[in-house]
Amino acid sequence: MIVDRSVFDDSHLPQRLQHRDAEVNQLARALEPAKQGDPADDLLISGPPGVGKSVLTRHTIDRLATRADVQYARIECMGQTTASIIRDVLGAIGDRPPQNTAREDLCLQLRERVTDPVVVVLDEASEVHETKALDRLADVEYISMVVICYDPDDWLSQAPNRIARRFHGRQLRLDRYGVDELADILEPRAREGLEHGAVARDQLETIADEVAGVARFGIYSLLAAATLAKDRGHDEVLDVDVADAYPLAQEWMRQAALDSLAFHHHVLYEIIREAETIDSRTLHQRYDAIADDIYAGRQRTPLIKRTRRDKLAKLHGYDLIGQEGGTKDRIYWVLDESVRSGYDIDVRVAATKDSEL
DNA sequence: TATCCACCGGAATTTATGGAAG
DNA sequence: CTTCCATAAATTCCGGTGGATA
């Protein structure tokens, strides 16, 4: 059923970008000056998550870099600091400075070493304002910026004026795909990743419709449908497999998110999952009741309440738990009961201890 | 209605860790 | 080995908020 799983990875670049011709051209035009050794134009690329902003830039800049001698750096800005962004840029164009290089040194090196056009792609740039990286990059003549974000107006309003001005009239908006368009995009993946004829066109359209044009979700759903078909012993993907695909894809994404988090998050998550819904007061009580047992024999030690709130916010941001209510009356619940921690955390100990007290 | 309490989350500070240079 | 620098994680401090209680 599944011939090549790698086709469904985020890192997989399709051979041809479908339904993005105008966008590819606009980006290519912005980069054009770099071919002659001039600084490229800046560009602000915006659009909802999972519609191919990153794929578009990777595809277009890779192609440019193979044809012309243009250097570029792709930077995942999420959670990065000023220094780490500058260091990434330096690393992309030559030797990567060691981790403990002073910030001033990094900026100095940047000015000295960038003597030809460099395109810096700032991916997931929503929070890059909190760093000084934008200013530092803007100081260097030959650096041009391709910024990828969700909401362009929001991003520009938070940027310093001198930065925002650089993007005036230099914006590119990507929207969700239509059902037909996304089905077109899924088709080559099905062809390369699945057995021949395993999935029909109208099934691709059903998937495309369900994920509301978000390509990344569509691709995961397609893999999920094929996985279900295989597990259920079907020779080809049936409509029932398609129907159950998206929830399974969501479960995978959430499970991957939870797996990526630290032990602390897992403890809180499991307490919430066991309780179905729980208010913060009870949550903290449970945590205090079982923390000593659960953390026994581990390097980590239990957290104070303030830090637990940060972990809970993280779980919420990762779409693992829901929350409702402002200050006093907040409740939490897990969004998918079948997503569970891989750690052996028995929170029911807490329940019994509670009742004994 | 006034006061208290527990929780929320921003901001600053501390702690632990690790690589590089002297 | 000590010092310097950066980073991540956790703690401390604190103003704000809203429900419970006198």
Side-chain angles (χ1 to χ4, degrees), chain A residues 18-34:
Chain A
Q18 301 187 78
H19 303 294
R20 290 292 191 223
D21 291 344
E23 289 83 358
V24 169
N25 287 336
Q26 188 179 343
L27 176 56
R29 246 191 339 273
L31 302 176
E32 189 75 22

Side-chain angles (χ1 to χ4, degrees), chain A residues 126-325:
Chain A
S126 347
E127 289 163 28
V128 80
H129 304 102
E130 285 152 33
T131 74
K132 289 267 168 282
L134 282 173
D135 282 310
R136 300 308 185 181
L137 294 172
D139 285 341
V140 184
E141 185 190 352
Y142 278 104
I143 287 183
S144 59
M145 295 184 262
V146 174
V147 172
I148 301 177
C149 69
Y150 178 73
D151 181 343
D153 298 326
D154 184 53
W155 193 87
L156 288 170
S157 71
Q158 290 185 57
N161 268 335
R162 58 188 284 252
I163 306 287
R165 218 170 312 136
R166 291 175 58 149
F167 294 96
H168 186 72
R170 288 170 174 165
Q171 295 186 31
L172 174 55
R173 171 89 198 164
L174 270 63
D175 274 310
R176 293 186 175 84
Y177 293 100
V179 169
D180 274 347
E181 292 175 335
L182 184 46
D184 287 344
I185 289 163
L186 294 177
E187 229 167 42
R189 309 255 180 177
R191 206 164 49 233
E192 294 163 33
L194 306 182
E195 272 173 29
H196 177 72
V199 65
R201 170 76 191 189
D202 67 312
Q203 293 176 319
L204 295 180
E205 287 171 6
T206 305
I207 290 172
D209 188 43
E210 180 157 31
V211 299
V214 178
R216 178 179 292 141
F217 294 170
I219 291 162
Y220 289 156
S221 281
L222 178 55
L223 179 60
T227 305
L228 284 170
K230 192 190 78 173
D231 291 349
R232 292 166 174 177
H234 303 154
D235 292 333
E236 56 190 40
V237 175
L238 303 183
D239 286 347
V240 288
D241 304 321
V242 171
D244 298 335
Y246 187 42
L248 178 60
Q250 276 188 305
E251 185 192 320
W252 287 348
M253 290 187 274
R254 289 198 173 110
Q255 187 65 58
L258 181 60
D259 291 345
S260 76
L261 293 171
F263 183 70
H264 300 306
H265 302 93
H266 288 245
V267 175
L268 290 162
Y269 181 86
E270 285 298 315
I271 293 172
I272 297 170
R273 188 171 67 81
E274 172 72 20
E276 296 198 3
T277 70
I278 192 168
D279 60 291
S280 19
R281 189 187 168 78
T282 319
L283 173 58
H284 285 305
Q285 276 175 2
R286 291 266 167 86
Y287 186 96
D288 289 330
I290 60 171
D292 285 343
D293 283 341
I294 291 202
Y295 280 86
R298 298 187 178 270
Q299 309 95 310
R300 305 279 187 185
T301 50
L303 301 169
I304 66 163
K305 287 184 187 173
R306 178 64 187 89
T307 314
R308 289 175 215 165
R309 279 183 228 131
D310 285 338
K311 306 302 173 196
L312 289 166
K314 189 93 174 176
L315 287 168
H316 185 236
Y318 275 34
D319 201 31
L320 287 164
I321 61 173
Q323 63 180 48
E324 202 176 272

